[in-house]
C-alpha cells in the first residue's frame, strides 16, 4: 500500500528559529495535507495543497506541493513555544471513490525551547 | 454539538475483555471515519461510514473489530477479546460529505485504550 516517509522524526529548537519538515511518498497523491496534533487532542488541519508546485502560506506556516506529486514540505518561521506538538503530513488519493482515505506520515515531534 | 465528541477519553481494560468506544460526530455530517494511532505512529484508517452504511471496512485489523452507526449520527467501535497490541488512541472524524475530501475532516480528541 501507499506509504509516507516523514522526516525528521523529532526536532528540538530554540524559540525564534525556523523549522522545516518534509514527506515523501512512493506514489502520487492529488492532495497533500498538513496537520498538527496537541497532546490529548485530535489532529487539526493547518494547510491543504491541491496542485503540483503549489506554495501556500498560513501565517508563519508555508507548505509546498512537490512537482512530482510525491512530496511536500512544511516550514514554520520564527517558532514560538505554542508551536510545540506533533506535525503530520497526509496524502489523499483521487482513485475512484476512495478519496476520503488519507495516508498519514508518522509525524514530526517539535519541541521549542523558550 | 460544536465538535466531534468521543467517549470515554481513556479506557483501561484487561486482556480478553470487550470494549466499546463511542463517537458523536458534528451534527449534519454524513460521513464518519475511525482511525487508529499507535504510539509514535501515524494514523491508520479503520472504517468509513456514509450515513449508516460502511462501504469501506478495509482497515479493520481483524474480525475482533466491528463498528456500527445509527441514526446517521452516533457510531460505536467494538473490540472483542482485546489484546495488548490493540492498545492505541482511537480517533473518530466526521465530514459533511466524503466527496469534499479529506481536507474537511474534523477529528475528535480520541479514546486512549490501554490493554493490560
Amino acid at each position: 500500500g501507499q506509504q509516507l516517509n516523514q522526516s525528521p522524526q523529532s526536532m528540538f529548537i530554540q524559540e525564534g528559529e525556523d523549522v522545516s519538515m518534509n514527506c515523501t511518498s512512493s506514489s502520487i497523491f492529488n492532495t497533500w495535507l498538513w496537520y498538527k496534533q496537541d497532546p490529548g487532542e485530535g489532529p487539526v488541519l493547518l494547510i491543504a495543497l491541491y496542485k503540483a508546485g503549489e506554495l501556500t502560506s498560513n501565517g508563519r506556516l508555508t507548505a509546498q506541493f512537490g512537482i512530482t506529486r510525491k512530496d511536500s514540505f512544511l516550514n514554520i518561521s520564527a517558532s514560538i513555544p505554542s508551536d510545540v506538538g506533533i506535525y503530520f503530513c497526509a496524502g489523499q488519493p483521487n482513485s475512484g471513490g476512495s478519496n476520503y482515505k488519507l495516508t498519514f506520515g508518522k509525524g514530526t515531534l517539535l519541541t521549542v525551547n523558550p | 454539538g460544536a465538535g466531534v465528541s468521543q467517549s470515554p477519553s481513556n479506557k483501561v481494560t484487561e486482556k480478553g475483555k470487550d470494549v466499546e468506544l463511542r463517537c458523536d460526530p458534528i451534527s449534519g455530517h454524513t460521513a464518519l471515519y475511525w482511525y487508529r494511532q499507535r504510539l509514535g505512529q501515524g494514523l491508520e484508517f479503520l472504517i468509513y461510514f456514509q450515513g449508516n452504511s460502511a462501504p469501506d471496512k478495509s482497515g479493520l485489523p481483524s474480525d475482533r473489530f466491528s463498528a456500527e452507526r445509527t441514526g446517521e449520527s452516533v457510531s460505536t467501535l467494538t473490540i472483542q477479546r482485546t489484546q495488548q497490541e490493540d492498545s492505541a488512541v482511537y480517533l473518530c472524524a466526521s465530514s459533511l460529505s466524503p466527496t469534499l475530501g479529506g481536507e474537511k475532516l474534523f477529528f475528535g480528541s480520541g479514546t486512549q485504550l490501554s490493554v493490560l
Side-chain angles (χ1 to χ4, degrees), chain B residues 50-71:
Chain B
Q50 175 56 30
N52 294 332
S53 300
D56 190 346
K57 307 178 183 180
S58 62
L60 294 178
S62 74
D63 58 7
R64 296 186 296 105
F65 287 71
S66 63
E68 66 173 13
R69 188 180 184 194
T70 57

Side-chain angles (χ1 to χ4, degrees), chain B residues 1-24:
Chain B
V4 178
S5 178
Q6 291 187 246
S7 62
S9 54
N10 282 282
K11 177 70 176 179
V12 180
T13 190
E14 293 179 350
K15 178 181 173 181
K17 295 283 181 69
D18 298 351
V19 296
E20 285 189 353
L21 312 180
R22 177 187 169 108
C23 173
D24 284 88

Side-chain angles (χ1 to χ4, degrees), chain A residues 23-29 32 65-72:
Chain A
C23 274
T24 58
S25 169
S26 56
S27 55
I28 289 171
F29 288 109
W32 280 94
F65 192 144
I67 291 292
T68 64
R69 294 162 64 193
K70 292 184 178 182
D71 63 299
S72 176

Side-chain angles (χ1 to χ4, degrees), chain A residues 31 33 35 37 40-45 48 50 86 88 92 97-107, chain B residues 33 35 37 40-45 48 55-56 58 91 98-105 107-110:
Chain A
T31 301
L33 308 166
Y35 286 85
Q37 185 176 29
E41 301 293 330
V44 174
L45 182 66
Y50 304 106
I86 304 176
F88 290 98
Q92 182 184 1
S98 65
N99 61 348
Y100 53 82
K101 191 184 295 186
L102 300 180
T103 299
F104 283 81
K106 293 185 178 180
Chain B
Y33 317 77
Y35 282 82
Q37 184 177 25
Q41 302 294 315
L43 280 67
E44 304 170 71
F45 169 83
Y48 149 64
D56 190 346
S58 62
L91 289 160
T99 59
L100 290 179
E103 74 275 15
K104 299 301 184 186
L105 282 183
F107 283 89
S109 297

